[in-house]
Amino acid sequence: MRLARASLPAVAALALLLPGNGPPPRTHIVMIEQMHFGTVPSDIKVGDVVRWENRDLFRHSATARDRSFDVDLPAGASRTMVLRKAGAFAFYCKFHPGMTGSVTVRQ
Ligand SMILES: [Cu+2]
């Protein structure tokens, strides 16, 4: 008991020194249905994951206009990607260019 109590501050101090201290990355889902990208969550941060879920019977893609990502989404497939850069990224579907959206990633 005495040992465990004494080591707690040491463990806390170590945690502060480790990289990536802060909230763990979160996964945000963007649904694709009926030829539309669903709502993109507004609270996305660098290091978070976006999971694209294609619920259509068509192949789609989530392709950034600046080419920083290009996710192929066969019919019924889901794919994840990690957002490593802050900024606002407009995206579209390569196969149906009328399908558009944007994702904002905060530091
Ligand atoms: Cu498409």
Side-chain angles (χ1 to χ4, degrees):
M1 271 325 249
R2 246 185 73 205
L3 254 181
R5 249 185 309 168
S7 64
L8 268 178
V11 170
L14 184 63
L16 288 173
L17 294 174
L18 293 173
N21 190 41
R26 297 195 301 153
T27 298
H28 308 269
I29 294 168
V30 179
M31 217 72 87
I32 302 164
E33 270 176 312
Q34 301 186 353
M35 308 293 287
H36 284 97
F37 288 105
T39 307
V40 177
S42 58
D43 55 345
I44 298 177
K45 294 193 165 170
V46 170
D48 281 358
V49 172
V50 165
R51 187 161 86 231
W52 306 93
E53 293 192 6
N54 181 4
R55 299 245 169 127
D56 274 342
L57 298 173
F58 307 100
R59 182 184 182 187
H60 295 299
S61 78
T63 305
R65 299 242 180 241
D66 71 358
R67 294 279 154 180
S68 58
F69 57 85
D70 184 12
V71 180
D72 188 43
L73 293 155
S78 347
R79 298 279 185 271
T80 57
M81 68 179 199
V82 179
L83 292 156
R84 303 199 183 279
K85 252 179 33 181
F89 303 93
F91 60 83
Y92 67 107
C93 171
K94 282 193 290 199
F95 310 109
H96 313 100
M99 292 176 62
T100 62
S102 83
V103 56
T104 300
V105 184
R106 291 172 213 290
Q107 200 58 256

